[in-house]
Each structure stands twice: as structure tokens, then as C-alpha cells.
């Protein structure tokens, strides 16, 4: 589901997430690759993580509802937390 959510990001966001989280590059290294400032890369990365969180929040309750009992809801970490 995470990979599907990443694939659904706009290209600029997806590129930064892949380079940062999968390739382990720094913001400065990514900035050099994509031709943007490090500040712009940090902003793209932050927005991408926010968008991923929103996408996954919509998907996780349906995907993991069977794991949770009444009064609990899945958190971003997929664990059930009391609401």
C-alpha cells in the first residue's frame, strides 16, 4: 500500500521521496540531482510525506479494520490506538 501511495504522488514529490527514503540521499544531494535548492527539496519532501499520510489514512482503516476492536482505530503505524 505504501508503494501504491508513493506511485500516486506527483512526479516531483515521488522523485524526492524515492531519492531520500530508498536511495538514502541528503537534501543537498537531491537538490543537486533535481536542479533545485535544498530548501525547495525539503519543502517537496515535507509536502510529499503529508500527502502520503493522507493517502494512507484513507486506505488503512479499510485494510486493517478487521484487526481492531470496537473503540479502536488504526493509526498511521498500522497499530490500533484507542480513540
Amino acid at each position: 500500500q505504501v508503494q501504491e501511495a508513493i506511485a500516486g504522488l506527483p512526479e516531483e514529490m515521488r522523485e524526492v521521496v524515492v531519492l531520500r527514503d530508498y536511495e538514502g540521499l541528503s537534501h543537498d544531494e537531491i537538490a543537486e540531482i533535481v536542479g533545485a535548492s535544498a530548501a525547495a527539496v525539503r519543502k517537496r519532501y515535507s509536502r510529499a510525506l503529508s500527502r502520503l499520510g493522507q493517502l494512507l489514512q484513507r486506505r488503512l482503516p479499510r485494510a486493517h479494520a478487521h484487526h481492531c476492536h470496537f473503540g479502536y482505530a488504526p493509526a498511521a503505524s498500522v497499530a490500533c490506538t484507542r480513540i
Side-chain angles (χ1 to χ4, degrees):
Q1 286 183 344
V2 173
Q3 290 176 344
E4 288 176 16
I6 291 171
L9 290 173
E11 177 63 30
E12 286 184 340
M13 289 181 177
R14 183 173 56 248
E15 181 178 41
V16 171
V17 168
V18 169
L19 291 172
R20 179 81 175 147
D21 293 338
Y22 288 90
E23 300 295 327
L25 299 180
S26 71
H27 292 119
D28 291 330
E29 292 169 320
I30 297 168
E32 191 173 316
I33 291 169
V34 302
S37 69
V41 168
R42 282 191 293 276
K43 192 170 192 175
R44 281 184 206 170
Y45 184 69
S46 176
R47 287 181 176 169
L49 293 183
S50 179
R51 177 90 53 97
L52 283 173
Q54 292 169 356
L55 291 170
L56 291 172
Q57 280 289 109
R58 286 186 220 136
R59 294 175 186 198
L60 288 178
R62 289 189 298 264
H64 297 283
H66 64 280
H67 293 294
C68 299
H69 302 292
F70 180 78
Y72 289 80
S77 66
V78 184
C80 295
T81 57
R82 186 146 178 86
I83 55 173

